[in-house]
Amino acid sequence: MSENWVVVPTCLPVVLRRCPRCAFGRFRANGAFRVNAHHKLLDAWLLALCTRCGDTTKLTVLERVNVRSVRPELLDLLHANDVGLAAELLQDPGVRRRNHIALDWDGAWRLDTGGPDQAHRPHRPDGEAIEVSVGFAARIPVRPVRLIAEGFGLSRAEVERLIAEGNVVSTVRLGGRLCGDFTFMLKR
């Protein structure tokens, strides 16, 4: 038996960066951009608000770039405050490195198991194995143990026990965080 699961983002992640006003470390981006032109040079920032004091921080997207070198589609998305572009830019390692930020995905994703909204237990004869392919719609770092527990309605301790007994096997290491597609097999 085979199943396909997908990890899907539900909103933009929290941006982890120290606020200069209140020293809190969490900002919420809502997809708003600021674009500024200096003659033929262009700057663009993604705006994020501190979740404690409401202070605005600017995350650099473009810096002193010639206007002619920017694709017109990108410029239109910046002017339209496109949330999809904001999500794409937040996941860009270059943007994160340039702005010295990290992302917190807690509460910003869900697991789509292809079944009802709540977690489900597999209905199959004893001894039959289930092979599950897990795909990621975005680069969201999640622990595979958490996904398996949520997908089958088990506790994390029970999933850890199944891995230790060899009843959950995978070609990838199930102990850390993953943000790329993987498969595993549940034997019970």
Side-chain angles (χ1 to χ4, degrees), residues 139-185:
R139 294 187 52 81
I140 303 171
V142 183
R143 295 185 186 281
V145 170
R146 180 175 178 186
L147 294 176
I148 296 167
E150 192 171 314
F152 287 122
L154 304 171
S155 69
R156 290 188 203 168
E158 191 172 350
V159 173
E160 293 283 358
R161 183 183 55 78
L162 290 171
I163 291 172
E165 292 173 353
N167 290 327
V168 174
V169 293
S170 178
T171 57
V172 298
R173 195 173 130 254
L174 298 174
R177 290 183 182 259
L178 292 176
C179 55
D181 299 351
F182 70 98
T183 59
F184 69 91
M185 185 173 294

Side-chain angles (χ1 to χ4, degrees), residues 96-162:
R96 290 199 322 254
R97 192 171 34 254
R98 179 185 312 132
N99 291 288
H100 307 290
I101 62 171
L103 301 178
D104 180 7
W105 283 96
D106 284 348
W109 61 272
R110 67 178 171 78
L111 179 63
D112 182 9
T113 59
D117 288 338
Q118 69 270 15
H120 67 283
R121 288 190 181 266
H123 299 290
R124 60 184 168 27
D126 285 340
E128 184 180 342
I130 290 184
E131 183 175 346
V132 179
S133 297
V134 180
F136 287 79
R139 294 187 52 81
I140 303 171
V142 183
R143 295 185 186 281
V145 170
R146 180 175 178 186
L147 294 176
I148 296 167
E150 192 171 314
F152 287 122
L154 304 171
S155 69
R156 290 188 203 168
E158 191 172 350
V159 173
E160 293 283 358
R161 183 183 55 78
L162 290 171

Side-chain angles (χ1 to χ4, degrees), residues 8-106:
V8 182
T10 56
C11 61
L12 292 176
V14 171
V15 176
L16 301 177
R17 179 185 204 180
R18 188 180 164 281
C19 178
R21 180 190 272 178
C22 70
F24 196 60
R26 301 174 72 79
F27 285 83
R28 177 66 68 188
N30 62 359
F33 290 93
R34 177 164 182 229
V35 181
N36 196 10
H38 305 277
H39 302 288
K40 294 180 182 179
L41 300 178
L42 191 72
D43 290 325
W45 300 277
L46 173 61
L47 303 178
L49 298 175
C50 177
T51 57
R52 178 179 284 165
C53 70
D55 193 34
T56 302
T57 190
K58 298 187 296 187
L59 306 176
T60 303
V61 176
L62 299 174
E63 190 171 30
R64 302 284 189 219
V65 176
N66 192 315
V67 175
R68 292 182 185 246
S69 67
V70 178
R71 294 185 338 266
E73 305 86 37
L74 175 61
L75 202 51
D76 290 341
L77 291 174
L78 289 170
H79 286 298
N81 292 327
D82 186 68
V83 177
L85 177 63
E88 182 180 323
L89 290 171
L90 283 174
Q91 293 182 34
D92 183 4
V95 171
R96 290 199 322 254
R97 192 171 34 254
R98 179 185 312 132
N99 291 288
H100 307 290
I101 62 171
L103 301 178
D104 180 7
W105 283 96
D106 284 348

